[in-house]
Amino acid sequence: SGFPFAGFTAAYEEAVQECRSARSVLAELGLSGRAGDTRLRGRINAGISTPANIRLEGVAFGRPIFILAGRDRSATLLLVREDRVVRDAPPESIVEALTGVALTPAELLAAVAGCGLGAGTPSNGRTFNEEWAAVDAESGVTYLRRVDGGWRVGAAVRGNVQVLYADFASGLPSTVHVRTGSVADITLRVSQLEINTTIDEKAFDVDVPPDALPLTVEELRRAG
């Protein structure tokens, strides 16, 4: 349970001061792990901007697998190899069907930028040792870790979703572990990260071939 942490507000603000201001991220994400019984491996080229714009391009063995793009509460997923398409679905529902983790664009942006599941207003805090502390906020529990003499977000937990950071460089994590109980265990290796770079609005659209066959989110989930 830890010990009372009188300075939790200042520590939390120090930890999130950079990632809180992230309005967009561009990154290459090396993907490994599992979703259910399915092994995951490949690369994702990601572009995300506030309030809810997203583009994820999945690549495996040098070949495109999928393109997920959308804005606001509506996204399209094109399965390139199968020539199937999911249209006008919530982006977090598509992400869950693909990976077992239901993350909104804003939450995925926060996770990649190093803010756990999002920065909020801290309400309580406790310390465990000189390196680790925990802060309660509306986004869940954020675990703070001392890195290079300063507080950084080391992990975040909300319900059964866990985000754990490792391999910090220049104050930013280059490895993101995402887990949801026994359903998913995913590792993202972050490289070529750019924060607050302008992303062309056209990136959040998908050119769907006219002969692509429709697919529902539930069918996508059942197909693994």
Side-chain angles (χ1 to χ4, degrees):
S1 58
F3 304 93
F5 185 17
F8 71 89
T9 299
Y12 181 82
E13 292 302 325
E14 179 182 354
V16 303
Q17 63 179 345
E18 295 181 19
C19 59
R20 185 198 291 275
S21 63
R23 297 293 175 261
S24 70
V25 295
L26 287 171
E28 184 175 296
L29 308 176
L31 173 69
S32 61
R34 64 171 179 81
D37 296 328
T38 302
R39 302 298 299 181
L40 303 176
R41 183 167 296 276
R43 186 180 78 250
I44 296 177
N45 298 319
I48 312 166
S49 69
T50 57
N53 303 326
I54 186 170
R55 185 180 182 91
L56 304 178
E57 296 182 1
V59 180
F61 305 107
R63 299 177 58 190
I65 301 296
F66 69 82
I67 299 173
L68 165 61
R71 49 175 60 84
D72 300 324
R73 296 285 300 162
S74 180
T76 296
L77 171 72
L78 176 64
L79 299 177
V80 179
R81 294 181 181 179
E82 293 85 355
D83 205 18
R84 303 291 300 273
V85 61
V86 178
R87 296 181 185 270
D88 303 322
E92 62 270 26
S93 297
I94 298 178
V95 171
E96 181 190 20
L98 289 172
T99 67
V101 184
L103 294 179
T104 66
E107 290 168 341
L108 187 55
L109 189 156
V112 174
C115 252
L117 293 167
T121 301
S123 58
N124 190 28
R126 53 206 175 276
T127 60
F128 304 104
N129 50 44
E130 293 185 356
E131 184 181 3
W132 286 93
V135 173
D136 299 321
E138 59 267 30
S139 58
V141 180
T142 299
Y143 290 87
L144 308 182
R145 180 182 180 184
R146 283 197 179 275
V147 178
D148 298 330
W151 288 109
R152 298 290 180 179
V153 176
V157 177
R158 186 188 62 213
N160 69 339
V161 179
Q162 303 176 9
V163 176
L164 177 65
Y165 293 118
D167 304 322
F168 285 81
S170 301
L172 292 174
S174 56
T175 301
V176 185
H177 299 285
V178 183
R179 300 169 182 155
T180 54
S182 60
V183 177
D185 190 341
I186 298 168
T187 298
L188 300 174
R189 308 285 183 184
V190 183
S191 61
Q192 301 183 37
L193 175 64
E194 298 179 28
I195 296 178
N196 290 337
T197 297
T198 300
I199 302 175
D200 191 331
E201 285 292 317
K202 294 180 181 178
F204 306 119
D205 297 320
V206 182
D207 292 327
V208 178
D211 58 347
L213 298 177
L215 185 70
T216 68
V217 171
E218 184 56 37
E219 288 171 333
L220 177 67
R221 184 181 292 109
R222 289 201 303 265

